[in-house]
Amino acid sequence: MIRAAVLPAVGAPLEITGIELPEPGPGQVRIRLAAAGVCHSDLSLSNGTMRVPVPAVLGHEGAGTVVSVGEGVTHVAPGDGVVLNWAPSCGTCHPCSLGEVWLCVNALNGAANVHARTADGRELHPGLNVAAFAEETVVAANCVLPVPDGVPLADAALLGCAVLTGWGAVHHASRVRKGETVAVFGVGGVGLATLQAARIAGASTIVAVDVSPEKEELARAAGATEYVVASETTAREIRKLTGGHGVDVAVECVGRAVTIRTAWESTRRGGRATVVGIGGKDQQVSFHALELFHWGRTLAGCVYGNSDPAADLPVIAAHIRDGRFDLGALVTERITLDGIPGAFDAMLAGRGGRALVVF
């Protein structure tokens, strides 16, 4: 028996309870978790914004040590440090054949599998494939990547979602160029990673936007040159900070209709707005045809930072080793499994950056 955070049903409170985890079968890896980040996507799974089979063990941003491997697994061995990849690409579907591995149509097939059982025999699914809110997990071999040299194991958990997403939003989806101006909406874990990525990309003015005035220090430490407390005048304030034009690039990390619309309005004529935040179907964003023509802006979605983890992790790790990217700066609270419900409450209230479960 190991302890895990179980979502018994959509909208139900998490249960921190014991579960029975099987040994790895062919093509599987068992991992002892060192740490797991509490991401807004976990909250979206719990409240039904994103649908996965339940009951499930949540958690998708994690890192740990290989305990054992099943038949046929050769790229990792017991004792290796690994990062969990919650969206492994199949390599054969149409998006994968185009090199767009972040859009793999089979990436989440594993979420329907039976992962473990509760003490009373209920079958549990692995939320977003990897079930990281647990002392140990068993995952498919393609869900693990070796931890890059020089990256602390616990902090490496953040690479599995927040960092890849923020990095990719800047370097892949938005393609920020040196000297461009950037606005980042939402200063949570992903937003803080996005700010650091924009700084590394050489952005000149970097505007952080959040509803909380208390996050200004966090944002500036990550690279923000300006800080705006979100209001009805946010787009106007950003234009004032950029010579009346608006930013070249806006990255929305919240997933709300009003924030998406404001991010779009904050970009210059011909600017680029990238939506990272995951919103519900009730979040409807509208535009009229004339403004689309007049402003010539681009509005694009962004999945997992449009990243290829195998290719991007070594690049990001080099910046970590050289001191340009600070993983620890994303973490504002280190908690135990029992602290996850409180971390959900903090996200709903807009407090803090990333909460990290440390085992």
Side-chain angles (χ1 to χ4, degrees), residues 3-346:
R3 296 183 77 231
V6 173
L7 178 69
V10 172
L14 285 182
E15 298 175 354
I16 312 301
T17 186
I19 65 170
E20 295 179 355
L21 190 68
E23 290 302 312
Q28 292 185 321
V29 180
R30 184 168 182 142
I31 299 152
R32 180 177 301 110
L33 272 296
V38 183
C39 179
H40 202 280
S41 296
D42 298 309
L43 182 60
S44 296
L45 293 172
S46 72
N47 63 25
T49 299
M50 296 171 62
R51 291 285 183 176
V52 293
V54 291
V57 178
L58 294 188
H60 64 281
E61 181 184 85
T65 303
V66 175
V67 175
S68 56
V69 300
E71 181 183 350
V73 177
T74 58
H75 73 296
V76 294
D80 288 351
V82 293
V83 178
L84 297 179
N85 174 18
W86 61 270
S89 56
C90 70
T92 58
C93 70
H94 184 59
C96 285
S97 73
L98 298 174
E100 298 172 349
V101 297
W102 54 92
L103 298 178
C104 176
V105 298
N106 298 309
L108 293 180
N109 286 356
N113 294 340
V114 175
H115 173 71
R117 284 178 169 78
T118 60
D120 60 4
R122 284 182 297 159
E123 292 183 343
L124 299 172
H125 301 284
L128 293 185
N129 284 328
V130 296
F133 287 167
E135 293 169 332
E136 295 189 11
T137 188
V138 173
V139 302
N142 63 352
C143 286
V144 298
L145 294 165
V147 171
D149 291 341
V151 179
L153 186 58
D155 288 348
L158 302 166
L159 295 172
C161 185
V163 174
L164 275 171
T165 300
W167 176 268
V170 168
H171 291 272
H172 301 316
S174 301
R175 298 185 182 275
V176 174
R177 298 180 289 268
K178 185 176 181 179
E180 287 193 311
T181 54
V182 176
V184 177
F185 289 75
V187 184
V190 172
L192 289 168
T194 304
L195 288 168
Q196 291 203 50
R199 172 177 48 76
I200 291 169
S204 52
T205 300
I206 304 175
V207 185
V209 182
D210 199 275
V211 295
S212 172
E214 288 75 25
K215 291 188 180 181
E216 181 171 359
E217 184 177 348
L218 275 175
R220 289 190 181 276
T225 61
E226 309 288 344
Y227 191 83
V228 172
V229 177
S231 71
E232 293 180 355
T233 64
T234 295
R236 192 181 313 154
E237 291 180 59
I238 290 174
R239 286 194 293 272
K240 285 181 180 178
L241 292 169
T242 53
H245 306 295
V247 291
D248 296 299
V249 171
V251 181
E252 198 273 359
C253 304
V254 181
R256 295 183 62 232
V258 65
T259 318
I260 294 169
R261 175 75 204 200
T262 303
W264 189 81
E265 291 177 354
S266 299
T267 63
R268 64 169 175 83
R269 196 174 187 188
R272 305 169 327 262
T274 298
V275 179
V276 173
I278 301 172
K281 294 180 180 179
D282 61 324
Q283 297 296 311
Q284 299 289 317
V285 188
S286 62
F287 308 88
H288 62 71
L290 183 59
E291 65 180 323
L292 292 173
F293 162 78
H294 174 76
W295 289 103
R297 295 164 171 150
T298 300
L299 178 67
C302 175
V303 179
Y304 203 6
N306 294 8
S307 291
D308 178 350
D312 286 323
L313 285 184
V315 176
I316 297 168
H319 289 290
I320 294 169
R321 288 192 295 268
D322 292 342
R324 290 186 293 270
F325 198 108
D326 183 0
L327 287 176
L330 275 62
V331 180
T332 53
E333 187 178 20
R334 295 178 187 265
I335 60 175
T336 65
L337 271 175
D338 297 287
I340 295 175
F344 279 10
D345 291 340

